[in-house]
Amino acid sequence: MASQILICLLLVTVVGVAVDCNSEGDALNAWKSQLVDPNNVLQSWDPTLVNPCTWFHVTCNSENSVTRLDLGNANLSGYLVPQLGQLANLQYLEVFGNNLSGTIPTAIGNLTSLVSLNLQHNQFTGVIPTSLGNLISLSYLNLNGNKFSGIIPSDLFLLVQRGNLRVMNVSDNMFAGTVHRGNLTVTTIIQDPKAS
Ligand SMILES: *[C@@H]1O[C@H](CO)[C@@H](O)[C@H](O)[C@H]1NC(C)=O
Ligand SMILES: *[C@@H]1O[C@H](CO)[C@@H](O)[C@H](O)[C@H]1NC(C)=O
Ligand SMILES: *[C@@H]1O[C@H](CO)[C@@H](O)[C@H](O)[C@H]1NC(C)=O
Ligand SMILES: *[C@@H]1O[C@H](CO)[C@@H](O)[C@H](O)[C@H]1NC(C)=O
Ligand SMILES: *[C@@H]1O[C@H](CO)[C@@H](O)[C@H](O)[C@H]1NC(C)=O
C-alpha cells in the first residue's frame, strides 16, 4: 500500500503526468456507475477525492484501505462488479436487503481478508463460484433469499471443516440436491428447506 502510493507520487511529481492513485476509489466508483440508487445513498461517493475513506457506508483502516462496505437495505439495483475483488483489505461486504441481481463475480474469491459476506434478500442468480473457497478468513456467509442455483461448491464445506466459516445460510434459494448437516461442525448453522 505504502509503496503503491510512493510510486504514484513519483509518477506524478517526477514524470509529471496525471496518474490516478485512488485505485480502491476507482474500483468502488466502477461499481457505483452501474448501480441504480433511487435513494441517493451513494451521493457522497466522489471519485475525485484522494481515497474513498470519507464516503458514507465505507470504512477504512489506518492505511486508508477499505475494510467495510455497509450497504444493507439501501434499495440498490444492479450487479456486483469484478473490481470489488481489488479491495484487498475488505472484511465486511454487507449488501443484504437490496435488489441486486446477476452472479457473484469470480474475483470476489480474491478477498482473502473477508470475514462476512452478506448477500441475503436480493435477486442474485447463477452458481456459487468455486473461488469462494479461497476466502480463508470468512466466518459468516449469508446467501439466504436469492435465486442461486447449482450445487454448493465442496470448497465451501472445506471452509467450514478446516477454515473459519461458522455460519453459512443458504436457505430459500434454488440450489440443486440436498445439503447434509452431517458434514458440518456443530457450530455451523446451515438452513435449507431441503436440508436432510
Ligand atoms: C426503492 O426504489 C424504488 C424505485 O426504484 C421506489 O419505488 C421505492 O419507493 C423505494 N423504496 C424505498 C423503501 O425507499
Ligand atoms: C430491481 O432490479 C431489476 C433489474 O435491475 C429492475 O428491472 C427492477 O426495476 C428493480 N426493482 C426495483 C423495485 O427497484
Ligand atoms: C483475482 O485473482 C485472479 C486469480 O485467481 C486473477 O487472475 C485476477 O486478476 C484477480 N482479480 C483482481 C480483481 O484482483
Ligand atoms: C457430506 O456427507 C455425505 C454423506 O454423509 C456425502 O455423500 C457428501 O459427499 C458429503 N459432502 C461433502 C461436501 O463432504
Ligand atoms: C437463515 O435464514 C433463515 C430464513 O430467512 C432465517 O430464519 C435464519 O434466522 C437465518 N439464520 C442465520 C444464522 O442468519
Side-chain angles (χ1 to χ4, degrees):
M1 194 65 206
S3 61
Q4 241 179 28
I5 290 168
L6 187 62
I7 290 165
C8 272
L9 287 177
L10 282 175
L11 283 170
V12 172
T13 55
V14 179
V15 187
V17 292
V19 176
D20 201 339
C21 305
N22 183 9
S23 61
E24 294 198 338
D26 290 347
L28 289 176
N29 195 51
W31 185 33
K32 178 192 175 179
S33 68
Q34 58 75 55
L35 290 175
V36 179
D37 177 19
N39 296 4
N40 287 322
V41 299
L42 306 177
Q43 201 165 28
S44 65
W45 288 28
D46 176 356
T48 66
L49 297 179
V50 65
N51 62 50
C53 300
T54 56
W55 299 1
F56 288 169
H57 314 292
V58 175
T59 306
C60 291
N61 62 17
S62 58
E63 308 211 294
N64 291 329
S65 182
V66 176
T67 55
R68 295 189 69 112
L69 291 174
D70 288 286
L71 286 163
N73 298 321
N75 208 8
L76 297 171
S77 298
Y79 309 96
L80 297 179
V81 295
Q83 286 91 331
L84 291 170
Q86 294 166 10
L87 303 172
N89 294 300
L90 190 66
Q91 296 182 316
Y92 294 85
L93 179 51
E94 308 291 314
V95 295
F96 54 87
N98 285 289
N99 180 41
L100 298 173
S101 52
T103 58
I104 301 178
T106 306
I108 294 295
N110 294 23
L111 298 173
T112 48
S113 300
L114 203 62
V115 171
S116 169
L117 178 59
N118 193 343
L119 307 181
Q120 177 171 227
H121 293 144
N122 279 283
Q123 303 290 330
F124 288 111
T125 54
V127 298
I128 307 304
T130 318
S131 67
L132 292 197
N134 299 332
L135 299 177
I136 50 170
S137 306
L138 198 66
S139 83
Y140 182 89
L141 176 65
N142 199 340
L143 307 178
N144 165 54
N146 283 285
K147 296 169 183 167
F148 288 117
S149 56
I151 59 164
I152 298 169
S154 57
D155 300 52
L156 277 183
F157 290 102
L158 289 178
L159 285 184
V160 172
Q161 286 165 333
R162 296 178 202 162
N164 296 305
L165 195 53
R166 295 289 170 263
V167 175
M168 182 166 97
N169 197 335
V170 298
S171 66
D172 193 14
N173 275 288
M174 296 162 64
F175 288 116
T178 55
V179 176
H180 297 274
R181 290 167 194 267
N183 323 46
L184 306 175
T185 59
V186 284
T187 47
T188 303
I189 301 161
I190 181 162
Q191 295 174 343
D192 189 289
K194 292 168 291 188
S196 60

